[in-house]
Amino acid sequence: MLKLSCLIVVLTSSIVSVSCVEEYSRRDFPPGFIFGAGTSAYQVEGAAKEDGRSPSIWDNFTHEGNMNGANADVSVDEYHKYKEDVRIMAETGLDGYRFSISWSRLIPRGRGAVNPKGLQYYNNLINELMSHGIQSHVTLYNYDHPQELEDEYGGWISRRMVKDFTAYADVCFREFGDRVSSWSTINEPNVLTLGGYDQGLTPPKRCSFPFGVRNCSKGNSSYEPYLAGHHMLLAHASTVRLYRRNYQGKQGGIIGLTLYTFWLLPLTNSREDVVAIERALDFYIGWFMNPMMFGDYPEIMRKIVGSRLPALTVAESNLVKGSFDYIGVIHYSTVHAKDNPSSWKWKYRDFNADVGVQFILSQDNEIPSELPVVPWGLQATLEYFKQTYDNPLIYIHENGQKTIRNSTLEDTSRVKYLHAYIGALADAIRNGSNVKGYFVWSLLDVFELLDGYESAYGLFYVDLDDPEMKRQPKLSAYWYSNLLQGKTVSLDGIIELQKNYSGLPQTHSVQ
């Protein structure tokens, strides 16, 4: 039974955090609840030029020097070390592993011939997971389509991508679907569009003056984020239709879309700031949720964006409406924001100007090195989905804490973060939220898509200078394993945990 006593603390960033002295176990979660961990193909596999894999847009992006020379050509080499990684998953007690398939590895030219070596790798990985009793939760697309499709027709800014993506998904369903528990079509389309087509911070690095990075050579920040998002929505819905018609009945999996979320708080109680928060939620979440629930984009988006937002035809509306069995939620923290209507008067407009809010990240409004721990922000996010979108089935697809890579194996701050957020998740479920699984980000310290190897989220540290790339458990791995093995965890118990695992063995095992 979860025991709870909370102390309200006001942080210097003006965000109210909740520090809870609580204890709970996995018995506080519903029967069949899935606890797991996640990675994605480009971030973890390595073997970038092996066995027929072609370059993805991430390969080109990193090799053009956009990550200060860092790339994931090798990363943590899960392509060769997947058996070891599955073993540590089993020893930790994971129920599921969330990973993505590299389109470039499976179908190197984006369409047409399947790469037998890529097919073999994913079959081997899925079979290895099954042999250890671990479910496969697969993301079809995590920011990384083949560069050839980008060169040929511009990737997501072309409607041709809908057909090619659906055909790629068809191969995945046909070859792997009998052993996959859940499919996510596209990871974070609501931020993928902004990073790649508005600000140019991520591939394919498209943006325009005065938005985004200085050296974008092509793009239109005012229009392309909405166009790319429109095609992602149609590709998602087309793929769901295919899965439901041809595969779901005999394979028994479920399919959905994964969205990035953060909870927003109005800087003041003024009506303007409160309305601004509602508008921002419509832009960031409603952009994809409203079409899937109601058949059209949010009214406020259509009003503000106007003709730059592609219209859904009647046929498209019917296609996208209801196109999910579940929603994957990615959540890390909570921020304040205030109304900023002056952006609507700018000569040039992009997504952020259209939203008309200013985010307050800290006292000096600089991006903090660590996001504040606000576990009730996850509860508020889940309550928003419950109230606004009829309480859909949800999996928490990412949640975790960023730290400096290799700062210490005794990552007590991460343990406290996970303890707080998983406890808040238990509260949300008791309050009626329809959440069936939680995946910590990430299993290993991997190549991070914003800063390469500078930061880390992993339960396991990987020494990149070690030729064997030994996986070393952090304190958080032991804590998570205790929870998954049915032990009661508590904040008081963290001190005892530190004593028991002082020094942390330099081995993959968490037994």
Side-chain angles (χ1 to χ4, degrees):
M1 179 65 68
L2 183 147
K3 299 179 181 179
L4 185 64
S5 174
C6 292
L7 172 68
I8 305 297
V9 181
V10 180
L11 302 181
T12 57
S13 60
S14 300
I15 291 184
V16 179
S17 180
V18 181
S19 175
C20 297
V21 178
E22 56 185 89
E23 63 179 40
Y24 56 85
S25 75
R26 68 179 306 162
R27 292 186 298 275
D28 291 295
F29 293 83
F33 189 90
I34 301 299
F35 280 103
T39 61
S40 82
Y42 182 74
Q43 295 177 265
V44 74
E45 285 179 3
K49 300 176 182 179
E50 293 184 38
D51 292 342
R53 181 186 179 275
S54 69
S56 74
I57 57 173
W58 261 101
D59 292 284
N60 278 35
F61 182 78
T62 56
H63 282 277
E64 289 170 354
N66 289 293
M67 301 290 288
N68 294 321
N71 62 63
D73 288 1
V74 177
S75 186
V76 295
D77 198 26
E78 185 163 274
Y79 185 77
H80 297 108
K81 298 177 73 66
Y82 70 92
K83 288 187 177 181
E84 178 180 350
D85 287 345
V86 173
R87 186 165 64 250
I88 67 173
M89 294 179 213
E91 291 172 347
T92 305
L94 300 190
D95 305 312
Y97 181 43
R98 177 179 174 253
F99 62 96
S100 73
I101 291 174
S102 166
W103 189 346
S104 295
R105 192 178 299 283
L106 188 64
I107 307 176
R109 303 198 64 183
R111 57 180 176 271
V114 175
N115 175 19
K117 290 290 188 178
L119 184 64
Q120 180 183 30
Y121 169 70
Y122 291 112
N123 271 320
N124 288 345
L125 173 60
I126 292 169
N127 290 340
E128 190 73 14
L129 289 164
M130 283 189 67
S131 72
H132 286 80
I134 300 171
Q135 294 180 8
S136 294
H137 293 258
V138 179
T139 299
L140 289 167
Y141 180 83
N142 197 92
Y143 287 55
D144 57 347
H145 58 270
Q147 182 66 39
E148 184 163 335
L149 299 185
E150 189 68 26
D151 294 340
E152 181 180 346
Y153 56 70
W156 287 112
I157 63 171
S158 170
R159 195 181 182 94
R160 293 173 62 182
M161 194 69 158
V162 176
K163 180 179 179 181
D164 285 343
F165 181 83
T166 307
Y168 154 66
D170 194 15
V171 173
C172 294
F173 297 150
R174 183 177 70 243
E175 299 293 344
F176 314 126
D178 59 330
R179 292 153 292 155
V180 171
S181 297
S182 76
W183 296 95
S184 174
T185 55
I186 300 174
N187 190 62
E188 300 180 331
N190 55 336
V191 294
L192 164 61
T193 47
L194 304 185
Y197 299 88
D198 186 342
Q199 300 167 4
L201 297 173
T202 59
K205 197 178 178 182
R206 298 180 69 96
C207 63
S208 60
F209 177 85
F211 306 104
V213 296
R214 293 181 179 179
N215 56 346
C216 282
S217 60
K218 53 191 173 183
N220 184 326
S221 297
S222 293
Y223 177 69
E224 286 188 359
Y226 299 112
L227 181 64
H230 187 72
H231 293 150
M232 290 177 196
L233 180 64
L234 296 180
H236 157 78
S238 172
T239 299
V240 171
R241 179 175 62 184
L242 169 74
Y243 183 68
R244 287 174 171 172
R245 285 181 176 178
N246 296 351
Y247 297 100
Q248 191 169 39
K250 53 189 176 183
Q251 294 180 350
I254 57 175
I255 191 166
L257 183 75
T258 299
L259 296 174
Y260 182 89
T261 70
F262 45 80
W263 190 241
L264 293 171
L265 293 172
L267 186 63
T268 73
N269 291 326
S270 69
R271 173 171 172 75
E272 291 78 11
D273 283 358
V274 171
V275 170
I277 295 302
E278 295 172 355
R279 184 172 64 246
L281 291 171
D282 271 336
F283 267 79
Y284 281 97
I285 297 176
W287 186 6
F288 289 88
M289 281 303 303
N290 276 45
M292 292 192 297
M293 277 295 297
F294 311 120
D296 204 354
Y297 294 113
E299 181 180 358
I300 192 66
M301 285 190 74
R302 289 184 278 121
K303 178 181 178 181
I304 292 174
V305 182
S307 61
R308 290 178 291 122
L309 180 66
L312 287 162
T313 66
V314 173
E316 290 170 347
S317 176
N318 291 333
L319 175 68
V320 302
K321 187 176 180 180
S323 61
F324 66 95
D325 300 325
Y326 77 95
I327 296 299
V329 167
I330 292 175
H331 181 90
Y332 288 94
S333 194
T334 295
V335 297
H336 272 112
K338 66 177 182 179
D339 189 34
N340 184 32
S342 63
S343 66
W344 296 334
K345 300 176 182 179
W346 296 353
K347 180 179 179 181
Y348 301 97
R349 294 269 287 278
D350 73 336
F351 181 91
N352 292 315
D354 291 334
V355 178
V357 302
Q358 179 181 351
F359 297 107
I360 311 299
L361 302 176
S362 61
Q363 282 185 323
D364 55 8
N365 211 26
E366 294 293 327
I367 298 176
S369 58
E370 291 187 11
L371 292 174
V373 180
V374 191
W376 54 262
L378 175 58
Q379 291 176 260
T381 300
L382 295 174
E383 185 67 21
Y384 180 79
F385 275 92
K386 185 174 75 171
Q387 297 292 339
T388 309
Y389 300 112
D390 197 26
N391 202 18
L393 172 62
I394 284 176
Y395 285 88
I396 305 300
H397 268 171
E398 288 183 29
N399 174 246
Q401 187 185 57
K402 170 183 175 181
T403 59
I404 298 172
R405 186 179 178 89
N406 197 24
S407 55
T408 177
L409 293 179
E410 295 192 27
D411 56 343
T412 307
S413 65
R414 179 173 289 111
V415 172
K416 292 179 178 179
Y417 177 101
L418 294 176
H419 189 280
Y421 276 85
I422 295 175
L425 177 58
D427 286 338
I429 293 171
R430 274 194 302 277
N431 197 37
S433 288
N434 188 19
V435 184
K436 299 301 183 184
Y438 172 92
F439 295 82
V440 64
W441 185 267
S442 53
L443 176 68
L444 310 169
D445 287 347
V446 299
F447 177 91
E448 287 295 336
L449 298 185
L450 289 180
D451 58 11
Y453 301 108
E454 297 299 315
S455 65
Y457 290 79
L459 300 175
F460 289 80
Y461 168 70
V462 182
D463 185 353
L464 300 180
D465 295 323
D466 175 9
E468 296 184 0
M469 291 195 172
K470 183 166 56 180
R471 279 63 166 139
Q472 301 177 44
K474 303 178 189 177
L475 192 69
S476 56
Y478 293 105
W479 179 89
Y480 199 45
S481 183
N482 282 344
L483 172 66
L484 271 53
Q485 292 173 11
K487 298 178 182 178
T488 297
V489 295
S490 68
L491 286 180
D492 291 339
I494 293 174
I495 299 174
E496 192 64 29
L497 187 68
Q498 287 175 295
K499 292 179 182 178
N500 291 341
Y501 299 106
S502 178
L504 294 174
Q506 304 300 297
T507 172
H508 68 264
S509 178
V510 293
Q511 293 297 311

